[in-house]
C-alpha cells in the first residue's frame, strides 16, 4: 500500500535522518527504514496524520515538554520513543508516530487515513522537535505483548508515500529508502500530498 505522508499538507518538512542505505543513524533492523521528519524551527509544531486506517495504541506517560523545556537525547520514557502512537492496520503492518508533544486519539480508537492523531514534539530521546515515523511487520505470535508495552514494534520495513519536493513541480510515490535527507533546514523541503 501507499501510505499518506504523516504530516499535515502544506507544512514544509525536512527529513534529517534516514535509513542505513544513506549511512545514517537508523542502522539496526528495528528502525532501519524509519524517517525523522522535522518541521522548520520557525514554524509551529506540525499536526501528525494517520498514514492509513487502523486501530490506535497509545503511550502517553511521558512529561512533555521536559521539565526544563529542552530536548534530551537520554530520556528513556516510552523506551526512548516518548509519547507515541502505534496504529495496527488490516494488512498486519504497524505504523509508529513517536516523540509527540500531544496525543489526540484514545486507546483502541479506530482512526482513518488523514485523521489528526497528534502534535509533533520532543518527548523521549529527541535532540530536536520532530516526528519519528516508521512501518513495521510485528511477529503476530507476540502481537498482544508488543501492543501492551511501549516502544519496540518488530521488524522495520520499507514503505511508500506520496510526496512533493519543493524544488520539483510534480508529486511522486517514493520509497522510504529513497527519500532525500540532510542535516540542515535549507531547501528543498518535503510536502505531503493527498
Amino acid at each position: 500500500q501507499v501510505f499518506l505522508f504523516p504530516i499535515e499538507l502544506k507544512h514544509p518538512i525536512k527529513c534529517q535522518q534516514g535509513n542505513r542505505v544513506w549511512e545514517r543513524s537508523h542502522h539496526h533492523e528495528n528502525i532501519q527504514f524509519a524517517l525523522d521528519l522535522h518541521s522548520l524551527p520557525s514554524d509551529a509544531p506540525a499536526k501528525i496524520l494517520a498514514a492509513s486506517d487502523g486501530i490506535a495504541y497509545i503511550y502517553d506517560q511521558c512529561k512533555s515538554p521536559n521539565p526544563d523545556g529542552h530536548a534530551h537525547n537520554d530520556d528513556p520514557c516510552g523506551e526512548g520513543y516518548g509519547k507515541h502512537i502505534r496504529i495496527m492496520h488490516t494488512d498486519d503492518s504497524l505504523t509508529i508516530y513517536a516523540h509527540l508533544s500531544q496525543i489526540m486519539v484514545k486507546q483502541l480508537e479506530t482512526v482513518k487515513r488523514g485523521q489528526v492523531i497528534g502534535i509533533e514534539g520532543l518527548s523521549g530521546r529527541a535532540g530536536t522537535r520532530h516526528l519519528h515515523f516508521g512501518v513495521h511487520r510485528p511477529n503476530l505470535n507476540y502481537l498482544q505483548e508488543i501492543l501492551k508495552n511501549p516502544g519496540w514494534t518488530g521488524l522495520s520495513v520499507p514503505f511508500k508515500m506520496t510526496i512533493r519536493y519543493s524544488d520539483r513541480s510534480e508529486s511522486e510515490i517514493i520509497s522510504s529508502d529513497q527519500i532525500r535527507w540532510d542535516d540542515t533546514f535549507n531547501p528543498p523541503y518535503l510536502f505531503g500530498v493527498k
Side-chain angles (χ1 to χ4, degrees), residues 1 3 33-35 133-135 157-161 174-177:
Q1 76 170 302
F3 289 94
F33 295 105
L35 302 172
F133 176 77
V135 178
V157 296
F159 56 92
K160 293 182 179 178
M161 298 184 293
I174 193 164
S175 178
S176 58
D177 58 355

Side-chain angles (χ1 to χ4, degrees), residues 26-37:
H26 292 163
H27 296 299
H28 62 79
E29 68 180 19
N30 293 338
I31 60 171
Q32 78 181 52
F33 295 105
L35 302 172
D36 284 354
L37 302 170

